[in-house]
C-alpha cells in the first residue's frame, strides 16, 4: 500500500510539473500568435485548446512515468537488489560473494561494486588468517598439554624411581614454560596488531642496549661453546622505545643461539648509514631456502621443524611488527646450511633530539 501511494505521489508531481511547463509554453505561444496575426481567440477556442492540452499533459506524464519506472526497474532496483543480496550473504559469513560490474560509463553502481568487492576480499583474507590462527594456537597448545598429561599420568605410579620422577617433573616444567611463553607472545602480538601498545620513545645508546640484551644469553652460548663476535660503533644514539626494541634483539639472539650448532659462531654489528643505524645479527647455523624466506615472518611458521619444540613460531612475527611500529625496516639474507644474517634499520636521533 505504501508503494502504491508513493507511485501516485510521483505521478501527481510529474503531472503538475509537466502541466506547468506545457501551460506556460502554450500561453506564450498564444500570446505571440495573437500579436503576430492580430487574431482574437473566442471562449470556444480557449476551451478546446485547454481540453487538448490537458489530454496531452496526461499522456506525456504517463509516458514519462512509464519510462522512468522501466528504467528504475531494469537498472536501479535490480542493481540495488543485487547489492542488498550480496551484503546479506556477506553478513552471513560468505565472503566469496562478488558484485558484477556493468562497465557502463559514469555508472555510480560500479563504484559501489568495486568497493564492496574489495571489502569482501579483505574480509575473506582476514577470516582465513583468523581460522589459521585459531588452528595454529590449538595445535601449539595441544602438544604441550598432551605431554603434560602423559607425564602426569606416569607420575602417579607409586613405585616410580626418584630419578625418573625428577626427569618427568622437568619435562612438565619445560612444557608449562613453553605454554606460558606462547600465551605471552600471543597477547603481545595481539596488542601490537590492535595498536594497543604505543611506543614510549626516549633517547638511548643503541650499542649499550644491544650488549645488555646479548649478555642475557651468555649461559646459552657458553653451553653450546659458541664464538661471539661483535663490531659495535660507538655513540650511536636512537630515539625509540627501548623495551619494544628489546623484543627484537632478544628474539634475534635467541634464534641465533638456537639454530647455531655446537662450536659455531654468532656475530653482532652496529654501524651508521646516513640517518639510519644498522644492526646486523648473523650466525653460522642451518640457514633456510627461498621458500622458507617468503614465509619467515608469518605467525606460527617454523622453517626448521627439528627445532619446533623449542619455540612457537611467533618470535619473528613479533619482530616484524615491532620494527614496523618503531618506523624501522628488517631484512634477512640466508644460505641453506651456511647461516643467516638479519639486518634491522632504525632512524638515528637527530641533533635536536640528542640535546
Amino acid at each position: 500500500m505504501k508503494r502504491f501511494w508513493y507511485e501516485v505521489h510521483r505521478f501527481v508531481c510529474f503531472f503538475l510539473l509537466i502541466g506547468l511547463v506545457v501551460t506556460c509554453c502554450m500561453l506564450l505561444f498564444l500570446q505571440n500568435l495573437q500579436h503576430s496575426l492580430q487574431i482574437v481567440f473566442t471562449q470556444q477556442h480557449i476551451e478546446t485548446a485547454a481540453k487538448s492540452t490537458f489530454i496531452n499533459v496526461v499522456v506525456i506524464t504517463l509516458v514519462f512515468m512509464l519510462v522512468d519506472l522501466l528504467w528504475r526497474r531494469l537498472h536501479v532496483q535490480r542493481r540495488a537488489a543485487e547489492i542488498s543480496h550480496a551484503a546479506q550473504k556477506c553478513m552471513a559469513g560468505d565472503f566469496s560473494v562478488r558484485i558484477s560490474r556493468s562497465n557502463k560509463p559514469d555508472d555510480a553502481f560500479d563504484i559501489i561494486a568495486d568497493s564492496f568487492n574489495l571489502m569482501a576480499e579483505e574480509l575473506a583474507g582476514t577470516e582465513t588468517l583468523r581460522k589459521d590462527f585459531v588452528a595454529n594456537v590449538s595445535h601449539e597448545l595441544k602438544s604441550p598439554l598432551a605431554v603434560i598429561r602423559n607425564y602426569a599420568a606416569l607420575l602417579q605410579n607409586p613405585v616410580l624411581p626418584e630419578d625418573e620422577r625428577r626427569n618427568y617433573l622437568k619435562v612438565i616444567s619445560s612444557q608449562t614454560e613453553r605454554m606460558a611463553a606462547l600465551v605471552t607472545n600471543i597477547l603481545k602480538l595481539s596488542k601490537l596488531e590492535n595498536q594497543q601498545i604505543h611506543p614510549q620513545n626516549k633517547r638511548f645508546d643503541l650499542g649499550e642496549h644491544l650488549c645488555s640484551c646479548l649478555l642475557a644469553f651468555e649461559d646459552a652460548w657458553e653451553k653450546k661453546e659458541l664464538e661471539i663476535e661483535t663490531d659495535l660503533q660507538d655513540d650511536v644514539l636512537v630515539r625509540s622505545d627501548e623495551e619494544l626494541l628489546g623484543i627484537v634483539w632478544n628474539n634475534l639472539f635467541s634464534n641465533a643461539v638456537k639454530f647455531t650448532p655446537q662450536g659455531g659462531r654468532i656475530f653482532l654489528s652496529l654501524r651508521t648509514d646516513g640517518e639510519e643505524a644498522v644492526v646486523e645479527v648473523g650466525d653460522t647455523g642451518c640457514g633456510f631456502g627461498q621458500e622458507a624466506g617468503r614465509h619467515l615472518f608469518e605467525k606460527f611458521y617454523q622453517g626448521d621443524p627439528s627445532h619446533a619444540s623449542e619455540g612457537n613460531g611467533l618470535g619473528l612475527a613479533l619482530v616484524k611488527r615491532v620494527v614496523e611500529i618503531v618506523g624501522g625496516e628488517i631484512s634477512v639474507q640466508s644460505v641453506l646450511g651456511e647461516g643467516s644474517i638479519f639486518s634491522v634499520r632504525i632512524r638515528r636521533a637527530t641533533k635536536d633530539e640528542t640535546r
Side-chain angles (χ1 to χ4, degrees):
M1 183 59 69
K2 289 183 178 180
R3 185 69 182 176
F4 171 76
W5 288 111
Y6 173 74
E7 294 296 338
V8 171
H9 179 264
R10 284 177 56 84
F11 177 80
V12 172
C13 290
F14 267 108
F15 177 82
L16 293 176
L17 176 62
I18 296 177
L20 177 63
V21 173
V22 173
T23 301
C24 293
C25 292
M26 285 297 298
L27 289 174
L28 289 174
F29 173 74
L30 292 175
Q31 288 179 359
N32 290 332
L33 190 63
Q34 289 184 92
H35 180 72
S36 301
L37 301 179
Q38 300 296 321
I39 298 176
V40 177
F41 293 106
T42 64
Q43 183 69 25
Q44 184 179 1
H45 291 153
I46 295 175
E47 290 179 356
T48 303
K51 292 178 181 179
S52 63
T53 301
F54 177 79
I55 294 173
N56 289 334
V57 169
V58 172
V59 172
I60 293 173
T61 304
L62 286 174
V63 171
F64 271 96
M65 282 291 298
L66 290 174
V67 171
D68 176 70
L69 181 62
L70 183 63
W71 181 81
R72 287 189 292 112
R73 285 288 176 88
L74 294 178
H75 184 71
V76 178
Q77 292 184 6
R78 181 181 63 82
R79 295 284 281 168
E82 182 184 1
I83 294 173
S84 176
H85 180 66
Q88 290 176 0
K89 293 182 69 176
C90 194
M91 289 169 58
D94 181 8
F95 301 123
S96 63
V97 62
R98 297 292 184 272
I99 300 175
S100 59
R101 301 179 85 257
S102 65
N103 293 320
K104 294 179 181 178
D106 301 326
D107 189 346
F109 283 107
D110 280 351
I111 300 175
I112 299 175
D114 292 338
S115 300
F116 182 92
N117 293 338
L118 180 60
M119 178 194 70
E121 185 177 349
E122 292 292 333
L123 288 173
T126 302
E127 180 66 11
T128 300
L129 289 175
R130 185 189 68 81
K131 290 180 179 179
D132 290 343
F133 184 80
V134 172
N136 286 322
V137 169
S138 300
H139 174 74
E140 291 293 334
L141 289 175
K142 184 178 180 180
S143 298
L145 281 174
V147 174
I148 292 172
R149 182 182 59 187
N150 293 335
Y151 279 92
L154 292 174
L155 284 172
Q156 295 177 11
N157 185 358
V159 296
L160 187 69
E162 187 61 27
D163 56 343
E164 291 187 16
R165 186 183 302 275
R166 285 195 296 268
N167 290 334
Y168 293 166
L169 288 172
K170 286 182 180 179
V171 173
I172 292 176
S173 177
S174 66
Q175 293 300 315
T176 304
E177 291 177 358
R178 180 184 173 189
M179 288 179 60
L182 172 63
V183 173
T184 299
N185 284 339
I186 290 174
L187 291 175
K188 285 181 180 178
L189 192 57
S190 176
K191 289 181 178 180
L192 289 171
E193 291 186 337
N194 292 317
Q195 297 182 349
Q196 295 178 355
I197 296 179
H198 303 284
Q200 303 296 322
N201 294 333
K202 66 176 183 179
R203 183 174 59 88
F204 62 92
D205 190 304
L206 184 56
E208 294 179 359
H209 179 54
L210 287 167
C211 289
S212 176
C213 293
L214 181 60
L215 287 174
F217 295 88
E218 185 175 5
D219 292 340
W221 83 58
E222 287 184 349
K223 184 177 180 180
K224 297 184 72 172
E225 299 179 347
L226 302 179
E227 179 184 354
I228 306 297
E229 293 183 6
T230 60
D231 183 12
L232 306 178
Q233 183 175 327
D234 295 330
D235 299 325
V236 178
L237 302 177
V238 296
R239 186 175 183 81
S240 187
D241 191 308
E242 192 171 3
E243 184 176 352
L244 283 178
L245 283 180
I247 296 175
V248 175
W249 315 133
N250 288 336
N251 275 283
L252 293 182
F253 295 151
S254 175
N255 285 343
V257 172
K258 179 170 65 176
F259 291 106
T260 303
Q262 192 80 15
R265 181 170 59 92
I266 294 175
F267 53 91
L268 167 67
S269 70
L270 169 63
R271 58 183 174 84
T272 57
D273 183 11
E275 296 181 353
E276 294 180 322
V278 182
V279 179
E280 292 184 344
V281 179
D283 60 68
T284 57
C286 58
F288 51 84
Q290 293 183 353
E291 180 63 24
R294 284 192 288 268
H295 304 282
L296 198 62
F297 295 102
E298 295 179 3
K299 303 181 190 70
F300 296 104
Y301 181 79
Q302 292 180 312
D304 184 6
S306 63
H307 290 82
S309 62
E310 301 177 33
N312 48 54
L314 289 176
L316 290 179
L318 276 170
V319 167
K320 178 74 171 178
R321 186 61 184 137
V322 169
V323 172
E324 291 174 349
I325 287 177
V326 300
E329 297 178 358
I330 184 169
S331 59
V332 58
Q333 297 178 343
S334 183
V335 178
L336 188 61
E338 296 184 11
S340 308
I341 300 176
F342 287 84
S343 179
V344 179
R345 289 179 171 268
I346 306 172
R347 188 176 65 88
R348 295 167 59 195
T350 62
K351 292 182 179 180
D352 292 337
E353 291 172 329
T354 57
R355 291 175 183 173

